[in-house]
Amino acid sequence: MTAIAVLGSTNMDLVACVARAPARGETVTGRELRTVPGGKGANQAVAAARAGGDVVMIGAVGTDEYGSRLRMNLEHAGVDTDLLHTAAGPSGTAHIVVDDEGTNAIVVIPGANGTVTGLGPGEHAAIAAADLLLLQLELPLSAVLEGARSARARGVRTILTPSPAQPLPAGLLDCVDLLVPNEHEAAALSGCEDPHAAAQVLLRRVPQVVVTLGREGCLYAARGGEQVLFPAPEVTAVDTTGAGDTFVGTLAVALGEGRSVPEALAWASSAAALCVQKPGASTSMPYRSEIDAA
Ligand code: RIB
């Protein structure tokens, strides 16, 4: 079983379902409000656990009602929450507008996630015991950097999802083995709009890059190798929230099991395609048997 440590955010997603997202300054009437456990870190943890990983979640929830729901959701997926701290105050929330095409726009309020500014001995030990560490950018960057350095010092492979896109602290990419941006994040980090050119630039900093391209699939690039485009299965998306997290969590399990990169990317793409066909983040992540069947 692949041992995975996830150092990341846990949010309650407050999802407004609308026919069309409002333009700036506009008001539209929505159809429904859903509250769904999410957060990029927790989503990756749930996806990895459902795909068959042995997962520990490092982060924090608040003392509000959302905090206990978020913890229970992770535990229900089989994720170890011993290092998911409870911080006084509200949990993280994500305010999401999902339109009829399944696309979304998200505002995240960090809440308890913002209290995770550094790691203790328990967190370092959990990282040391893992095969892979999964990082995103919804925790304070001081903790992300400390986690990445901890993994590098102990020979643990690190996958970074550089989302939400923002300037990275010096030294972070030096500790990353695989960078998985979407095309917007790849452009923001590299200064190149074209994903192929962006991947080439990013390879100067990390040994491997996967640029996720939504329904177009993903682009894999490794130092010294050709770039390869892996198509995504053709499906009708109802909600793309959490698809990138599903992709990364599942990919980590496959890589930890020693599968080849093409095989791992195909498996992760199948998982993401299953995810977009259902509403919500953690609610739409497939189980291993479903990914195998797909
Ligand atoms: O990647 C999707 C996630 O981003 C949502 O679940 C939301 O919580 C935001 O963090």
Side-chain angles (χ1 to χ4, degrees), residues 82-235:
D82 285 357
L83 294 170
L84 184 67
H85 302 282
T86 302
S91 299
T93 48
H95 304 258
I96 306 182
V97 175
V98 177
D99 66 21
D100 273 354
E101 287 176 15
T103 52
N104 63 42
I106 306 179
V107 174
V108 171
I109 311 288
N113 297 303
T115 66
V116 186
T117 52
L119 308 183
E123 284 79 10
H124 286 289
I127 291 170
D131 297 311
L132 290 112
L133 172 68
L134 305 188
L135 298 169
Q136 321 76 35
L137 301 178
E138 285 186 342
L139 291 186
L141 294 179
S142 55
V144 176
L145 182 58
E146 190 176 343
R149 286 189 167 143
S150 181
R152 179 48 58 99
R154 293 160 177 84
V156 175
R157 277 184 289 170
T158 294
I159 302 179
L160 172 66
T161 306
S163 179
Q166 56 195 287
L168 301 179
L172 177 59
L173 288 182
D174 299 331
C175 303
V176 170
D177 297 284
L178 171 61
L179 185 69
V180 189
N182 65 22
E183 52 197 310
H184 308 293
E185 293 147 6
L189 281 177
S190 67
C192 301
E193 287 300 323
D194 173 55
H196 295 269
Q200 219 47 48
V201 169
L202 294 171
L203 283 182
R204 293 182 201 145
R205 308 291 311 279
V206 294
Q208 295 182 90
V209 178
V210 175
V211 183
T212 58
L213 303 169
R215 68 184 67 208
E216 305 303 324
C218 66
L219 182 67
Y220 173 73
R223 277 183 192 152
E226 297 283 306
Q227 294 193 7
V228 187
L229 183 66
F230 289 87
E234 278 185 35
V235 296

Side-chain angles (χ1 to χ4, degrees), residues 9-13 36-41 43 93-94 96 104 106 108 138 163 241-245 281-282:
S9 59
T10 308
N11 298 326
M12 186 58 78
D13 292 353
V36 186
K40 294 183 195 305
N43 290 345
T93 48
I96 306 182
N104 63 42
I106 306 179
V108 171
E138 285 186 342
S163 179
T241 311
D245 301 324
S282 62

Side-chain angles (χ1 to χ4, degrees), residues 60-64 66-68 85-92 112:
V61 293
T63 41
D64 52 2
Y66 290 159
S68 36
H85 302 282
T86 302
S91 299

